[in-house]
Amino acid sequence: MWWGNRSRTIGVLEPASTLAFVWRVTGREEFGELAKRLLLECARWDPEGATGYRYNDEAGMPYAYWFARTYTLVRPLLDDEERAACRDVMRVRGREMYAHLAPSHLWKPYSSHSNRAWHFLGEVGIAFLGEIEEADDWVWFAANVFACVYPVWSDDDGGWHEGNAYWNSYLQRFTWWADVQRAALGLDAYALPFFARAGDFALYLMPPGTRGGGFGDLCGRRTSAQNRELVSVLAAQARNPQWAWYVERNGGYDDGGGWIGFLRSGGAPLEPRAPTDLPTSRLFEGTGVAVLQSTLIDASENVEVVFKSSPFGTQSHGYDAQNAFLLYAFGERLLIRSGRRDSYGSEHHRGWMWETRSENSITVDGRGQRPHTAKAPGRITGFHTEPGLHWVEGEAGRAYGGDVTAFRRGILFVEPDLVVVFDRVEAEGAERLDWLLHAEEPFAIDGARADLEVGRAACSVEWFAPSGLEVTQTDRFDPPPRERVKLVEHHLTAEIATTGDATTVVTVLRPRRADDPVAPPAVLERGDGVLRLRATVAGRDVVVDASDPDLLRVTVAGRDERTIERSRVERR
């Protein structure tokens, strides 16, 4: 019933706005009269009842903006008494929203739902300016939220802490307000750094054909095509030809339909341009996400590592553990974040997905990072990208909130098929580390090695631990999702005995096409200050020397030597 009231509200008022718009365009009175009738029927609903904002914000928010849009269009058909009825109901609803949001949202702007409610209130203020006495306060408040604190889950690189699904959902709604405030207030959202780069989040995280939306709630099974509608609007409004190319490769321009869709093209047609001049890897530093990959053009040709170590912690819908990573290859999800949200805050959602053990990260003596809190931060400490070679490093010791004084994880991607994970954990008195991996298909375990095949892609995993290693797996969730969710995933644990207060583990991942031959095993030299890995990459011998804690030296075929400063963030 609670969600149904949202659906019923939209089911009446969105068509009412469409009818009103068609009346304004065509002059056909039957459309205007029906829009007016629907609007006035909704005006009779108790504003503090089942669709009231404080009782049910998921119904109250769409009521506010669809009512305001319909009223704007149909107003000439309303007599004084009917306009007064509309003003009366929106005065109550607007006051309720304003009292909830202002002024606290300006200094505590991390409530997820409030981050769309403020601009819906702004729409009401614009529609009723000069008719409801407080409407100018609502508009002024919305303008200040935009100018001072919005968007909070982002950075100037275009990242979004809550992940691709909520990036898509919230920005789709915001783009309406971007249009409104540009017309009514002269404020251009796309002149700001975040909005000038917002489409890069989809371009880098999910190249065309990608299955898997990176970190964040509801992202696991997203596809790149699901970004098409939002990126269509972003590309048109920001006049970005590479985002237009992304839209074209994902099925073509989609304005979302509706009565205003065709007005949102942003002007003259935009000529798409492939992003061949961009580096293939990208750091979204402020939100603590890095993407290391081989191409932006086609997921079926891509190997992609997504890494998270976020200063936002594990709060809100960005609850994934710090220093976790994902591995996609050739259009398949190889190493994944596990679980499925059956209902927000359910036993499974809260007890599995918010916990470190659901991620490709590490637990210490069975203890994970602090769940669902801003007090579990990580930080990207190093990033480097150049053709064929990519590196990211993060620190997440504070996220555990106890005796874990440091958890430094670095990931090196040597194209096309070598991914090396360097882990160093400092935890006084700890006895074991659990190195966790998750996949859609079962792992084949052979001692300190595991092999995985998912559709068109495969991967081998080799652990190089300084002491005892035991690898196990299960297909059970604890706690499981609700019965209606039929989900089987596989969870691998490599239990590693710690050595003193600091333990260093090197793990080698070898993604490949499922029908390609398996690469020869890697060899690690360890001891007396030496930490050197030897592997074969596309028929070439590669040496990765990590003996210096500050530098990585990568030598290809005995002559091409490159050096990476491990703890240096390079901006590209």
Side-chain angles (χ1 to χ4, degrees):
M1 286 179 66
W2 187 83
W3 188 259
N5 284 340
R6 169 186 170 84
S7 300
R8 295 180 185 96
T9 298
I10 296 172
V12 177
L13 283 171
E14 182 178 9
S17 74
T18 301
L19 289 161
F21 180 73
V22 174
W23 165 68
R24 296 296 290 262
V25 172
T26 66
R28 292 179 58 177
E29 292 186 4
E30 65 268 32
F31 296 130
E33 288 299 324
L34 182 51
K36 170 183 170 179
R37 174 186 157 196
L38 294 172
L39 181 74
L40 294 176
E41 287 291 336
C42 289
R44 296 170 57 191
W45 297 0
D46 182 357
E48 297 177 311
T51 63
Y53 172 75
R54 292 307 304 270
Y55 176 74
N56 182 347
D57 63 353
E58 287 288 17
M61 286 189 283
Y63 186 108
Y65 61 82
W66 284 121
F67 193 100
R69 294 170 192 177
T70 306
Y71 180 79
T72 294
L73 293 165
V74 84
R75 188 176 181 279
L77 294 179
L78 303 175
D79 61 29
D80 289 344
E81 183 178 344
E82 291 163 340
R83 292 178 187 177
C86 292
R87 288 196 297 270
D88 289 345
V89 70
M90 290 314 298
R91 181 181 292 108
V92 174
R93 290 178 178 272
R95 282 175 177 173
E96 190 173 51
M97 294 178 74
Y98 186 66
H100 177 242
L101 295 167
S104 60
H105 188 69
L106 290 169
W107 62 78
K108 292 179 62 178
Y110 294 99
S111 169
S112 187
H113 285 201
S114 296
N115 270 308
R116 51 187 150 112
W118 68 267
H119 57 79
F120 296 150
L121 177 64
E123 283 200 53
V124 175
I126 292 289
F128 288 91
L129 198 65
E131 297 188 56
I132 296 176
E133 52 273 23
E134 299 104 321
D136 56 346
D137 289 334
W138 305 343
V139 176
W140 178 241
F141 173 72
N144 274 278
V145 172
F146 170 73
C148 300
V149 300
Y150 188 81
V152 297
W153 300 120
S154 66
D155 63 4
D156 284 354
D157 294 321
W160 195 267
H161 166 72
E162 293 185 302
N164 177 265
Y166 277 81
W167 168 87
N168 187 81
S169 174
Y170 275 67
L171 286 187
Q172 273 194 346
R173 293 172 169 91
F174 174 81
T175 58
W176 283 79
W177 176 247
D179 289 346
V180 170
Q181 71 172 10
R182 180 166 52 191
L185 306 177
L187 298 176
D188 182 5
Y190 301 96
L192 299 182
F194 168 76
F195 291 101
R197 301 181 180 93
D200 287 351
F201 192 54
L203 178 68
Y204 275 90
L205 184 66
M206 302 173 70
T210 298
R211 184 173 73 92
F215 294 107
D217 208 1
L218 299 176
C219 286
R221 290 157 188 82
R222 285 183 63 79
T223 66
S224 62
Q226 290 176 281
N227 298 320
R228 183 164 60 106
E229 182 180 336
L230 173 58
V231 181
S232 291
V233 175
L234 294 176
Q237 299 287 13
R239 311 303 296 163
N240 188 304
Q242 291 170 328
W243 301 349
W245 169 90
Y246 184 85
V247 169
E248 182 180 67
R249 288 295 302 271
N250 278 291
Y253 184 80
D254 179 6
D255 55 33
W259 56 267
I260 202 170
F262 74 94
L263 296 174
R264 311 188 74 204
S265 63
L270 191 60
E271 186 68 28
R273 188 176 79 239
T276 52
D277 58 334
L278 298 179
T280 59
S281 294
R282 177 72 176 270
L283 172 64
F284 299 94
E285 185 176 7
T287 56
V289 171
V291 184
L292 315 180
Q293 61 192 341
S294 50
T295 180
L296 296 174
I297 303 302
D298 185 352
S300 67
E301 302 294 327
N302 195 25
V303 172
E304 176 179 355
V305 178
V306 188
F307 178 81
K308 175 193 174 183
S309 199
S310 172
F312 280 94
T314 56
Q315 65 180 306
S316 191
H317 295 285
Y319 49 70
D320 304 271
Q322 312 301 350
N323 282 7
F325 71 93
L326 308 169
L327 178 62
Y328 303 152
F330 313 114
E332 305 286 3
R333 302 189 312 147
L334 281 172
L335 300 175
I336 64 173
R337 48 195 302 273
S338 66
R340 183 175 299 176
R341 175 173 142 183
D342 44 9
S343 184
Y344 183 83
S346 71
E347 190 176 356
H348 172 71
H349 193 225
R350 182 180 63 253
W352 177 264
M353 299 184 73
W354 294 2
E355 296 288 342
T356 305
R357 59 203 174 106
S358 71
E359 307 280 351
N360 302 317
S361 190
I362 286 177
T363 59
V364 181
D365 285 340
R367 178 166 55 88
Q369 299 169 19
R370 289 181 286 191
H372 211 241
T373 176
K375 297 179 180 179
R379 181 170 59 93
I380 300 284
T381 59
F383 178 78
H384 173 85
T385 183
E386 60 182 272
L389 190 66
H390 317 272
W391 165 259
V392 65
E393 185 180 63
E395 169 55 51
R398 288 178 56 202
Y400 291 83
D403 296 331
V404 179
T405 54
F407 170 25
R408 184 65 57 97
R409 167 169 279 181
I411 299 181
L412 177 71
F413 175 33
V414 184
E415 294 184 40
D417 64 359
L418 176 64
V419 178
V420 187
V421 183
F422 297 92
D423 288 318
R424 179 179 174 84
V425 179
E426 298 177 17
E428 184 178 357
E431 297 181 356
R432 81 172 200 270
L433 308 177
D434 287 341
W435 215 95
L436 307 170
L437 293 178
H438 305 270
E440 296 176 303
E441 300 293 339
F443 297 86
I445 299 170
D446 182 10
R449 178 188 173 98
D451 288 278
L452 173 67
E453 186 170 321
V454 180
R456 297 166 291 177
C459 183
S460 62
V461 185
E462 299 172 86
W463 289 274
F464 295 92
S467 55
L469 174 72
E470 181 180 357
V471 184
T472 58
Q473 73 174 315
T474 180
D475 62 359
R476 302 295 181 184
F477 296 99
D478 179 21
R482 296 176 180 181
E483 181 63 26
R484 62 182 169 80
V485 176
K486 307 302 181 184
L487 178 66
V488 177
E489 292 176 339
H490 302 268
H491 320 293
L492 180 147
T493 301
E495 183 178 313
I496 299 167
T498 58
T499 53
D501 292 338
T503 301
T504 299
V505 180
V506 178
T507 309
V508 177
L509 311 174
R510 303 303 300 263
R512 68 181 193 280
R513 297 183 188 275
D515 54 359
D516 284 351
V518 178
V523 176
L524 183 72
E525 301 174 47
R526 183 200 296 265
D528 296 328
V530 174
L531 190 66
R532 186 179 297 116
L533 182 81
R534 300 180 184 276
T536 301
V537 180
R540 301 169 298 165
D541 291 332
V542 173
V543 177
V544 181
D545 193 331
S547 304
D548 188 328
D550 298 320
L551 300 173
L552 278 182
R553 292 185 173 88
V554 182
T555 305
V556 180
R559 59 181 182 274
D560 181 10
E561 182 175 313
R562 310 187 203 181
T563 300
I564 298 171
E565 295 183 42
R566 297 172 68 163
S567 296
R568 178 183 176 190
V569 176
E570 299 177 8
R571 306 312 304 267
R572 296 277 179 171

